[in-house]
mmCIF file of all heavy atoms in Angstrom:
data_model
loop_
_atom_site.group_PDB
_atom_site.id
_atom_site.type_symbol
_atom_site.label_atom_id
_atom_site.label_comp_id
_atom_site.label_asym_id
_atom_site.label_seq_id
_atom_site.Cartn_x
_atom_site.Cartn_y
_atom_site.Cartn_z
ATOM 1 N N MET A 1 -34.994 72.819 -125.779
ATOM 2 C CA MET A 1 -34.502 71.455 -125.946
ATOM 3 C C MET A 1 -35.663 70.546 -126.343
ATOM 4 O O MET A 1 -36.737 70.609 -125.747
ATOM 5 C CB MET A 1 -33.897 70.971 -124.612
ATOM 6 C CG MET A 1 -33.347 69.578 -124.622
ATOM 7 S SD MET A 1 -32.263 69.409 -123.184
ATOM 8 C CE MET A 1 -32.032 67.658 -123.146
ATOM 9 N N PHE A 2 -35.455 69.756 -127.405
ATOM 10 C CA PHE A 2 -36.456 68.799 -127.875
ATOM 11 C C PHE A 2 -35.971 67.394 -127.526
ATOM 12 O O PHE A 2 -34.813 67.068 -127.786
ATOM 13 C CB PHE A 2 -36.628 68.899 -129.403
ATOM 14 C CG PHE A 2 -37.444 70.076 -129.843
ATOM 15 C CD1 PHE A 2 -36.985 71.370 -129.664
ATOM 16 C CD2 PHE A 2 -38.675 69.890 -130.452
ATOM 17 C CE1 PHE A 2 -37.745 72.468 -130.069
ATOM 18 C CE2 PHE A 2 -39.450 70.971 -130.868
ATOM 19 C CZ PHE A 2 -38.976 72.265 -130.663
ATOM 20 N N VAL A 3 -36.851 66.602 -126.965
ATOM 21 C CA VAL A 3 -36.460 65.244 -126.570
ATOM 22 C C VAL A 3 -37.378 64.236 -127.256
ATOM 23 O O VAL A 3 -38.595 64.249 -127.035
ATOM 24 C CB VAL A 3 -36.505 65.073 -125.038
ATOM 25 C CG1 VAL A 3 -36.036 63.672 -124.651
ATOM 26 C CG2 VAL A 3 -35.651 66.128 -124.338
ATOM 27 N N GLY A 4 -36.778 63.388 -128.083
ATOM 28 C CA GLY A 4 -37.523 62.337 -128.766
ATOM 29 C C GLY A 4 -37.381 61.012 -128.038
ATOM 30 O O GLY A 4 -36.984 60.948 -126.877
ATOM 31 N N GLU A 5 -37.686 59.962 -128.768
ATOM 32 C CA GLU A 5 -37.730 58.630 -128.149
ATOM 33 C C GLU A 5 -36.355 57.949 -128.198
ATOM 34 O O GLU A 5 -35.754 57.676 -127.164
ATOM 35 C CB GLU A 5 -38.773 57.820 -128.918
ATOM 36 C CG GLU A 5 -39.013 56.441 -128.404
ATOM 37 C CD GLU A 5 -40.152 55.783 -129.182
ATOM 38 O OE1 GLU A 5 -41.248 56.369 -129.260
ATOM 39 O OE2 GLU A 5 -39.933 54.686 -129.719
ATOM 40 N N GLY A 6 -35.867 57.721 -129.382
ATOM 41 C CA GLY A 6 -34.578 57.048 -129.526
ATOM 42 C C GLY A 6 -34.191 57.004 -130.976
ATOM 43 O O GLY A 6 -35.034 57.198 -131.854
ATOM 44 N N PRO A 17 -29.459 62.930 -134.030
ATOM 45 C CA PRO A 17 -30.885 62.682 -133.808
ATOM 46 C C PRO A 17 -31.747 63.232 -134.949
ATOM 47 O O PRO A 17 -31.407 64.236 -135.571
ATOM 48 C CB PRO A 17 -31.179 63.451 -132.510
ATOM 49 C CG PRO A 17 -30.170 64.552 -132.492
ATOM 50 C CD PRO A 17 -28.943 64.024 -133.195
ATOM 51 N N PHE A 18 -32.840 62.554 -135.212
ATOM 52 C CA PHE A 18 -33.863 63.036 -136.143
ATOM 53 C C PHE A 18 -33.283 63.453 -137.497
ATOM 54 O O PHE A 18 -33.449 64.585 -137.932
ATOM 55 C CB PHE A 18 -34.656 64.192 -135.517
ATOM 56 C CG PHE A 18 -35.674 63.726 -134.495
ATOM 57 C CD1 PHE A 18 -35.360 63.693 -133.148
ATOM 58 C CD2 PHE A 18 -36.929 63.304 -134.889
ATOM 59 C CE1 PHE A 18 -36.292 63.248 -132.210
ATOM 60 C CE2 PHE A 18 -37.864 62.856 -133.960
ATOM 61 C CZ PHE A 18 -37.545 62.833 -132.616
ATOM 62 N N TYR A 41 -31.715 72.428 -129.320
ATOM 63 C CA TYR A 41 -30.939 71.230 -129.007
ATOM 64 C C TYR A 41 -31.890 70.052 -129.091
ATOM 65 O O TYR A 41 -32.962 70.084 -128.492
ATOM 66 C CB TYR A 41 -30.343 71.338 -127.600
ATOM 67 C CG TYR A 41 -29.397 70.213 -127.273
ATOM 68 C CD1 TYR A 41 -28.053 70.284 -127.632
ATOM 69 C CD2 TYR A 41 -29.838 69.077 -126.611
ATOM 70 C CE1 TYR A 41 -27.184 69.251 -127.351
ATOM 71 C CE2 TYR A 41 -28.974 68.034 -126.319
ATOM 72 C CZ TYR A 41 -27.642 68.132 -126.693
ATOM 73 O OH TYR A 41 -26.782 67.106 -126.404
ATOM 74 N N VAL A 42 -31.505 69.037 -129.838
ATOM 75 C CA VAL A 42 -32.385 67.882 -130.040
ATOM 76 C C VAL A 42 -31.683 66.629 -129.525
ATOM 77 O O VAL A 42 -30.504 66.392 -129.845
ATOM 78 C CB VAL A 42 -32.729 67.691 -131.541
ATOM 79 C CG1 VAL A 42 -33.708 66.542 -131.722
ATOM 80 C CG2 VAL A 42 -33.320 68.968 -132.129
ATOM 81 N N THR A 43 -32.394 65.865 -128.722
ATOM 82 C CA THR A 43 -31.814 64.615 -128.239
ATOM 83 C C THR A 43 -32.917 63.579 -128.063
ATOM 84 O O THR A 43 -34.056 63.807 -128.475
ATOM 85 C CB THR A 43 -31.014 64.854 -126.940
ATOM 86 O OG1 THR A 43 -30.293 63.654 -126.617
ATOM 87 C CG2 THR A 43 -31.908 65.236 -125.766
ATOM 88 N N ASN A 44 -32.576 62.462 -127.467
ATOM 89 C CA ASN A 44 -33.514 61.358 -127.296
ATOM 90 C C ASN A 44 -33.454 60.800 -125.881
ATOM 91 O O ASN A 44 -32.432 60.932 -125.203
ATOM 92 C CB ASN A 44 -33.156 60.222 -128.268
ATOM 93 C CG ASN A 44 -33.586 60.515 -129.691
ATOM 94 O OD1 ASN A 44 -34.754 60.801 -129.937
ATOM 95 N ND2 ASN A 44 -32.647 60.470 -130.609
ATOM 96 N N VAL A 45 -34.523 60.114 -125.494
ATOM 97 C CA VAL A 45 -34.544 59.462 -124.173
ATOM 98 C C VAL A 45 -33.535 58.323 -124.146
ATOM 99 O O VAL A 45 -32.750 58.199 -123.213
ATOM 100 C CB VAL A 45 -35.964 58.935 -123.858
ATOM 101 C CG1 VAL A 45 -35.960 58.052 -122.621
ATOM 102 C CG2 VAL A 45 -36.933 60.098 -123.665
ATOM 103 N N ILE A 46 -33.564 57.468 -125.171
ATOM 104 C CA ILE A 46 -32.543 56.414 -125.209
ATOM 105 C C ILE A 46 -31.526 56.749 -126.295
ATOM 106 O O ILE A 46 -31.827 57.458 -127.254
ATOM 107 C CB ILE A 46 -33.125 54.990 -125.365
ATOM 108 C CG1 ILE A 46 -33.801 54.785 -126.705
ATOM 109 C CG2 ILE A 46 -34.032 54.625 -124.199
ATOM 110 C CD1 ILE A 46 -34.000 53.312 -127.034
ATOM 111 N N LYS A 47 -30.326 56.274 -126.087
ATOM 112 C CA LYS A 47 -29.204 56.745 -126.900
ATOM 113 C C LYS A 47 -28.748 55.733 -127.948
ATOM 114 O O LYS A 47 -27.835 55.991 -128.715
ATOM 115 C CB LYS A 47 -28.024 57.103 -125.972
ATOM 116 C CG LYS A 47 -28.399 58.025 -124.815
ATOM 117 C CD LYS A 47 -29.020 59.343 -125.291
ATOM 118 C CE LYS A 47 -29.299 60.289 -124.143
ATOM 119 N NZ LYS A 47 -30.070 61.467 -124.593
ATOM 120 N N TRP A 73 -27.572 59.865 -118.897
ATOM 121 C CA TRP A 73 -27.102 60.706 -120.012
ATOM 122 C C TRP A 73 -28.061 61.866 -120.264
ATOM 123 O O TRP A 73 -27.636 62.995 -120.473
ATOM 124 C CB TRP A 73 -26.927 59.860 -121.282
ATOM 125 C CG TRP A 73 -25.585 59.202 -121.305
ATOM 126 C CD1 TRP A 73 -24.431 59.726 -121.802
ATOM 127 C CD2 TRP A 73 -25.249 57.922 -120.764
ATOM 128 N NE1 TRP A 73 -23.392 58.842 -121.616
ATOM 129 C CE2 TRP A 73 -23.862 57.732 -120.984
ATOM 130 C CE3 TRP A 73 -25.976 56.918 -120.118
ATOM 131 C CZ2 TRP A 73 -23.199 56.580 -120.581
ATOM 132 C CZ3 TRP A 73 -25.318 55.781 -119.727
ATOM 133 C CH2 TRP A 73 -23.949 55.609 -119.946
ATOM 134 N N LEU A 74 -29.332 61.554 -120.218
ATOM 135 C CA LEU A 74 -30.312 62.627 -120.404
ATOM 136 C C LEU A 74 -30.195 63.639 -119.254
ATOM 137 O O LEU A 74 -30.222 64.853 -119.483
ATOM 138 C CB LEU A 74 -31.726 62.041 -120.483
ATOM 139 C CG LEU A 74 -32.850 63.036 -120.740
ATOM 140 C CD1 LEU A 74 -32.623 63.812 -122.043
ATOM 141 C CD2 LEU A 74 -34.209 62.325 -120.788
ATOM 142 N N GLN A 77 -27.268 65.848 -119.893
ATOM 143 C CA GLN A 77 -27.557 66.846 -120.938
ATOM 144 C C GLN A 77 -28.384 67.997 -120.356
ATOM 145 O O GLN A 77 -28.119 69.161 -120.635
ATOM 146 C CB GLN A 77 -28.311 66.186 -122.100
ATOM 147 C CG GLN A 77 -27.436 65.263 -122.926
ATOM 148 C CD GLN A 77 -28.250 64.470 -123.939
ATOM 149 O OE1 GLN A 77 -29.171 63.729 -123.570
ATOM 150 N NE2 GLN A 77 -27.924 64.613 -125.208
ATOM 151 N N ILE A 81 -27.132 71.853 -120.339
ATOM 152 C CA ILE A 81 -27.821 72.815 -121.215
ATOM 153 C C ILE A 81 -28.779 73.695 -120.437
ATOM 154 O O ILE A 81 -29.013 74.835 -120.799
ATOM 155 C CB ILE A 81 -28.525 72.038 -122.354
ATOM 156 C CG1 ILE A 81 -27.442 71.426 -123.233
ATOM 157 C CG2 ILE A 81 -29.429 72.937 -123.195
ATOM 158 C CD1 ILE A 81 -27.908 70.286 -124.060
ATOM 159 N N LEU A 89 -41.299 64.846 -127.318
ATOM 160 C CA LEU A 89 -41.875 64.311 -128.559
ATOM 161 C C LEU A 89 -42.286 62.866 -128.311
ATOM 162 O O LEU A 89 -41.438 61.975 -128.178
ATOM 163 C CB LEU A 89 -40.837 64.393 -129.681
ATOM 164 C CG LEU A 89 -40.309 65.808 -129.974
ATOM 165 C CD1 LEU A 89 -39.111 65.754 -130.921
ATOM 166 C CD2 LEU A 89 -41.401 66.700 -130.544
#
Side-chain angles (χ1 to χ4, degrees):
M1 180 163 167
F2 283 66
V3 182
E5 182 175 306
F18 283 95
Y41 187 86
V42 183
T43 189
N44 284 305
V45 170
I46 66 163
K47 309 303 184 188
W73 275 272
L74 183 58
Q77 288 172 302
I81 293 160
L89 302 170

